[in-house]
């Protein structure tokens, strides 16, 4: 991360955010009775936003590492500015957001019947907040959007969700707010440390923070991000929120909102506090792998399709975290690509679950079986998306997971001492997670699609409609596009990732090694001293 | 003439009260169109607010001798007066259609409201303690009557009586404290007392007892007015029982006025951050009150089931954050922490909006505001629900609303005052705001997520099906409150600048210029041994303290009676910004040499 590279001649980024915002205001002005008008307008607006975001993609220069297309305006008197820009780390997520939102809106056409107007307003405001979080290069602006995301999502879960929606909505809000308030204190701290005149990320990056200070700040930021990801011990809000949210909410929640956590790590936590991040790298990687295995096992035990997909998110995000802290070029690029992959595959899975739910109003796996005979197109789509989710070569999931695992192994083998053993063990455990993923996903697919039709009402199920096919088809196209030709996407991230690693990897590895030095020393001692067992055995032999 | 012009805001506010009284007499007894009285009141108070912000910042001193030393007008007073008057205007608008539904007589109500606002102006602008007491009484007596104005309701009567008795007690404490201060210094005006105490601080022993006792008494009195724990017991009952527009006024205007005077008293009289060398330092007392207030307010807020009570506890908790702000005086400028006025502004906008929505729901004499009554609000009245959403989330401190910017700005200022040691209290405060979020979300949860229970017949009103009051004036008031919350959250620049200039004028201190203009006093550490250079934080604080103390001592030694003249000089200084010693750039505590940086971590 090397600062600001180019300024925007045309404010495409702001326009992309302004379109949904204006759309939300426009929707509020359309009287309440015109249901079709609302959803049509919301869809058109979100497609326009996507079209506008394409101009960001086109104007992005993959060779540059820093922020591009930057817009910078004065905002607040004490130095907070409206600074937005994209770089290789945020570009793919930015596009993912504008790509998923119209699909989620289109997918919600038939599911959202009550208070449709408010629903689409919330969706569009959510899009603004997500885009703002991804492009903000000013910490206060980032925090503003980061917190604002909670409000529409809270309403989407709470108003349009399932039976336990109130509980899930409040839990979601409180959990994520808990993390972020401490981050606010951290932001203010760094602002004062930087002389009290700026909130710009580039200024914060220049700060020279001591290790203790970094550790506290990393803890404050890391908690906010880890809850959002969610990493293993902080994940309990996720199954509730995912299961209770309406389909469109789940798609956005899994597709984009969770990525804000991982994005926060690579954008803020690592570059701002490299020493602390290095010292915490091994614990974070361990938690990530625990998340992979734990999430997979939990998924395996679920009887509810949506819950199964929700727990699988814990596992997939574990991969992303592992790759990000493995600190090799391919692992970090793979982590970024895997964020997009997860958005596409899991988004599609939630859509597919939603399709079934709309027809049968149940998400229990037992309620289905053999529906491949009646819903042929649906079955094909579900199988494709499942294979992408478990990472079959040729689909997007394979590329991401392969890069992450390859990068992890390479880092482990190049590292010395205890890290070598730990890294290899983590890589092997994560690879086992891939197998576990195949187990639970394929089991689910078998139970839902194949076998005899047990329930008579399933015989009359309608196959996917044209609208549903359009949504899922678009996602399947992306599955294969990324799977077959990933460099089209990866090449956008290379420069930024390389710059980040060049700048911070050295310091992180140093701290990581320092942390493990105690373990190494003990291993040395053990090697030098005769093993007590051998001594005991010799005693006995004598 | 000049004096009359300067007094115009107060005169307009008082005139509004008299005008409304006359109009009430002239219109018929049962005239259904009495609502216009509220509009007249609101218009009068709004004009007074505009006059205050245009005339008072940078105003010249009073010319006539009988006003000198009685009232001060400056940027600080202008900010808080405008806030009080705007809240009064909003309360008047909320009351227009609320009063007939509740069977309250509008004439007396609106008159009392205008007089209460007048009293609040005098309270805020007082330069001596007697005027302050008079202002307090004018403000409070009117509010006692307003709280009890719904005579048909036992709750309202109880609220009025409770507020009256406890308020009387608080007034007595204030008067007692004033007497002690007079005894200690022989002076009643703020600047004179400050000079007297600063002189007394050097001499040991008995001299400190009187100001110490006075401090405790004053804190009790002001703690009561701003609803700080442990002087908060009246708050939930009174807020719940009083007619909702009155509650909005109490939570907004009375609290704002209370904080204005509290800051001025504490900062001027006890001279932060040296605090007059008392055994129980005002800093410790304020910090204790602040932490206690926010913790108790938030924790008790969680278990409430009535919207008005939840908002009452929320207003207690906000008093806690504000006390933290008053406590964390900027040691460099020795002025009020510049986050405090803005925080009050954001808080008042959101509180008035939230109580405004509640007041609109109190149709047909129904003032029972248990949470289930909100169920389904977003379906029945989407706009009211949206206003409630904005205001409640603003109170909770969620962006992009004013409350967030208020909290952010306040915590930033608190941290800036002394990063290393204040970070603990800021963390305590943000964790408190997490607790608070729970009860704010409960309000929204009922308004947005719950469906009203299906009931039949007469229970319809009780179950929350009663329609909201249709009232254009009230809708205007809550609409402005919601838009203000949004505006303060997205583009707070102007108001933050206003807050900063108000805060810098908070201290009435004739010796300030002497202290800042005499860097020679900084050189030898006199009373305290020169601190080790490894700790610049301590040394700078001590230096500032010494400077202030020395300068004040000099001032007293020269001529204690000359304090009166000094104050006039202070007036003219605040009048012309050019002559005021330039506010030194805020030194970043982090900008210390690297050797000393260690103390900050």
């Amino acid at each position: 991360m090397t600062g600001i590279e180019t300024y925007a001649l045309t404010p495409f980024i702001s326009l992309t955010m302004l379109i949904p915002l204006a759309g939300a205001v426009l929707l509020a002005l359309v009287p309440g009775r015109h249901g079709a008008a609302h959803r049509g307008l919301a869809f058109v607006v979100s497609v326009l936003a996507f079209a506008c975001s394409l101009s960001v993609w086109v104007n992005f220069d993959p060779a540059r590492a820093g922020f591009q297309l930057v817009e910078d305006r004065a905002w607040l008197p004490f130095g907070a500015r409206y600074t937005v820009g994209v770089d290789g780390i945020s570009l793919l997520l930015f596009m993912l957001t504008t790509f998923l939102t119209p699909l989620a809106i289109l997918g919600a056409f038939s599911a959202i019947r009550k208070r449709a107007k408010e629903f689409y307003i919330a969706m569009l405001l959510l899009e603004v907040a997500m885009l703002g979080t991804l492009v903000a290069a000013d910490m206060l602006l980032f925090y503003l959007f980061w917190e604002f995301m909670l409000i529409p999502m809270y309403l989407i879960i709470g108003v349009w969700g399932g039976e336990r929606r109130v509980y899930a909505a409040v839990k979601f809000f409180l959990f994520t707010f808990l993390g972020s308030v401490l981050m606010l204190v951290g932001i203010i701290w760094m602002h004062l440390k930087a002389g009290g005149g700026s909130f710009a990320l580039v200024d914060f990056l220049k700060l020279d923070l001591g290790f203790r200070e970094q550790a506290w700040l990393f803890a404050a930021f890391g908690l906010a991000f880890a809850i959002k990801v969610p990493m293993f011990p902080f994940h309990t809000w996720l199954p509730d929120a995912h299961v209770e949210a309406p389909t469109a909410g789940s798609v956005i929640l899994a597709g984009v909102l969770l990525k804000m956590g991982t994005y926060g790590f690579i954008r803020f936590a690592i570059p701002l506090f490299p020493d602390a991040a290095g010292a915490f790298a091994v614990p974070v990687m361990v938690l990530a792998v625990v998340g992979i295995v734990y999430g997979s096992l939990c998924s395996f035990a679920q009887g509810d399709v949506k819950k199964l997909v929700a727990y699988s998110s814990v596992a997939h995000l574990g991969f992303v975290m592992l790759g990000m802290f493995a600190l090799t070029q391919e692992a970090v690029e793979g982590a970024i690509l895997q964020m997009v992959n997860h958005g596409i595959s899991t988004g599609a899975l939630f859509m597919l679950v939603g399709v079934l739910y709309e027809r049968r109003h149940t998400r229990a796996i037992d309620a289905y079986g053999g529906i491949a005979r009646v819903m042929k197109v649906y079955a094909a789509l579900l199988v494709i998306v499942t294979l992408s989710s478990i990472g079959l070569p040729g689909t997007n999931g394979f590329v991401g997971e392969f890069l992450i695992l390859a990068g992890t192994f390479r880092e482990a083998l190049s590292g010395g001492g205890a890290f070598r053993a730990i890294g290899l063990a983590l890589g092997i455990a994560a690879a086992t997670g891939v197998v576990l993923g195949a187990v639970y996903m394929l089991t689910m697919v078998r139970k839902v699609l194949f076998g005899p039709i047990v329930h008579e009402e399933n015989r009359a199920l309608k196959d996917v409609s044209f609208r549903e096919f359009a949504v899922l088809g678009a996602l399947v196209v992306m599955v294969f596009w990324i799977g077959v030709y990933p460099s089209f996407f990866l090449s956008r991230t290379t420069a930024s990732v390389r710059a980040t690693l060049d700048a911070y990897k050295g310091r992180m590895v140093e701290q990581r090694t320092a942390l493990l030095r105690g373990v190494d020393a003990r291993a040395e001692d053990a090697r030098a001293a005769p093993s007590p067992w051998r001594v005991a055995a010799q005693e006995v032999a004598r | 003439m000049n004096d009359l012009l300067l007094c115009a805001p107060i005169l307009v506010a008082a005139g509004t009260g008299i005008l409304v009284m006359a109009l009430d007499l002239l219109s018929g007894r049962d005239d259904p169109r009495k609502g216009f009285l509220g509009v007249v009141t609101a218009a009068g108070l709004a004009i007074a607010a505009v006059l205050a912000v245009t005339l008072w910042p940078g105003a010249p001193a009073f010319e006539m001798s009988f006003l000198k030393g009685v009232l001060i007008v400056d940027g600080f007073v202008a900010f808080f007066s405008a806030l009080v008057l705007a809240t009064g205007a909003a309360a008047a608008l909320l009351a227009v259609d609320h009063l007939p539904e509740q069977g309250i007589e509008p004439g007396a109500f609106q008159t009392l409201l205008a007089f209460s606002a007048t009293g609040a102006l005098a309270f805020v602008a007082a330069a001596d303690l007697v005027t302050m007491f008079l202002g307090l009484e004018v403000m409070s007596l009117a509010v006692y009557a307003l709280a009890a104005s719904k005579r048909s309701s036992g709750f309202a009567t109880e609220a009025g009586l409770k507020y009256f008795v406890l308020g009387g007690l608080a007034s007595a404490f204030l008067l007692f404290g004033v007497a002690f201060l007079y005894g200690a210094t022989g002076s009643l005006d703020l600047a004179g007392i400050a000079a007297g105490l600063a002189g007394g601080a050097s001499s040991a022993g008995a001299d400190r007892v009187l100001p110490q006792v006075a401090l405790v008494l004053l804190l009790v009195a002001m703690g009561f007015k701003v609803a700080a724990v442990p002087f908060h017991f009246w708050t939930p009952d009174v807020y719940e029982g009083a007619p909702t527009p009155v509650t909005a006024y109490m939570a907004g205007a009375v609290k704002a006025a209370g904080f204005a005077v509290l800051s001025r008293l504490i900062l001027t009289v006890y001279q932060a951050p040296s605090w007059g060398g008392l055994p129980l330092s005002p800093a410790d007392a304020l910090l204790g009150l602040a932490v206690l207030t926010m913790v108790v307010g938030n924790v008790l807020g969680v278990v409430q089931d009535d919207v008005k009570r939840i908002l009452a506890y929320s207003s207690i908790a906000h008093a806690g954050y504000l006390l933290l702000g008053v406590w964390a005086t900027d040691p460099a400028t020795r002025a009020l922490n510049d986050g405090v006025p803005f925080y009050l502004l954001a808080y008042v906008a959101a509180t008035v909006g939230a109580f405004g929505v509640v007041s609109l729901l109190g149709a047909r004499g129904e003032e029972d505001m248990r949470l289930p009554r909100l169920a389904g609000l977003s379906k029945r009245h989407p706009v009211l629900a949206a206003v409630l959403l904005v205001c409640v989330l603003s109170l909770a401190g969620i962006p992009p609303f004013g409350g967030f910017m208020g909290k952010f700005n306040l915590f930033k200022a608190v941290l800036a005052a002394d990063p290393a040691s204040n970070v603990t209290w800021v963390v305590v405060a943000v964790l408190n705001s997490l607790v608070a979020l729970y009860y704010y979300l409960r309000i929204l949860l009922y308004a947005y997520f719950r469906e009203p229970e299906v009931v039949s017949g007469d229970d319809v009103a009780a179950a929350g099906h009663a329609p909201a009051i249709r009232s254009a004036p009230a809708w205007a008031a809550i609409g402005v409150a919601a838009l203000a919350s949004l505006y303060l959250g997205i583009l707070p620049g102007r108001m933050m600048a206003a807050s900063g200039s108000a805060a810098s004028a908070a201290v009435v201190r004739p010796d300030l210029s002497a202290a800042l203009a005499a860097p020679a006093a900084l050189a030898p550490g006199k009373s305290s041994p020169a601190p080790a250079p490894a700790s610049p934080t301590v040394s700078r604080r001590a230096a500032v303290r010494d400077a202030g103390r020395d300068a004040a001592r000099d001032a007293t030694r020269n001529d204690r009676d000359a304090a009166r003249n000094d104050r006039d000089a202070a007036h003219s200084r605040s009048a012309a910004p050019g002559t005021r010693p330039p506010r030194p750039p805020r030194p970043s505590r982090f900008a210390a040499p690297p050797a000393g940086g260690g103390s900050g971590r």
Side-chain angles (χ1 to χ4, degrees), chain B residues 112-258:
Chain B
L112 283 171
L113 194 57
F115 284 145
S116 171
T118 313
L121 288 197
F123 185 44
V124 171
D128 75 52
L129 295 174
V130 173
T131 317
M132 186 178 285
F133 180 72
L134 285 178
L136 175 74
E137 285 304 293
V138 172
M139 173 181 83
S140 304
L141 281 172
V143 179
Y144 303 145
L146 284 173
S149 58
K150 189 182 176 190
R151 276 174 294 174
S152 58
S153 155
F155 272 125
T157 316
E158 183 204 334
L161 185 65
K162 197 171 239 175
Y163 194 36
F164 177 60
V165 171
L166 290 174
L169 194 64
S171 300
F173 272 106
L174 181 74
L175 209 51
F176 212 1
V178 170
F180 273 93
L181 279 182
Y182 183 72
T185 61
S187 175
L188 274 174
D189 60 291
L190 292 172
I193 296 173
L197 284 185
S202 55
S203 55
D207 281 14
R208 291 203 199 141
V209 174
L210 291 181
Q212 178 72 75
V213 175
L215 168 74
V216 173
L217 293 171
L218 290 176
L219 277 180
V220 171
M222 298 317 297
F224 176 86
K225 282 295 158 200
V226 303
V229 176
F231 316 112
H232 69 288
F233 291 104
W234 58 279
T235 316
D237 293 344
V238 175
Y239 278 23
E240 186 188 8
T244 314
V246 179
T247 313
Y249 180 77
M250 282 194 284
V254 175
K255 184 161 292 201

Side-chain angles (χ1 to χ4, degrees), chain B residues 98 235-236 238-245 247-248 304-314 355 358-359 367-371 443:
Chain B
H98 185 81
T235 316
V238 175
Y239 278 23
E240 186 188 8
T244 314
T247 313
Q304 302 304 317
D305 280 322
D306 181 289
V307 184
K308 284 171 89 174
R309 287 186 86 89
I310 289 180
L311 289 175
Y313 279 105
S314 126
F355 277 120
V358 174
S359 88
E367 280 261 275
D368 168 29
M369 272 298 150
R370 279 165 302 140
L371 278 171
I443 298 181

Side-chain angles (χ1 to χ4, degrees), chain A residues 5-6 54-69 86-89 91 491-496:
Chain A
E5 296 262 359
T6 60
L54 284 178
S55 58
V56 176
W57 175 270
V58 170
N59 285 301
F60 182 85
D61 177 0
R64 292 175 190 271
F67 284 108
Q68 301 184 30
L69 304 172
V86 289
D87 69 351
I89 295 169
L91 179 71
S491 62
R492 298 298 195 280
T493 69
T494 309
S496 295

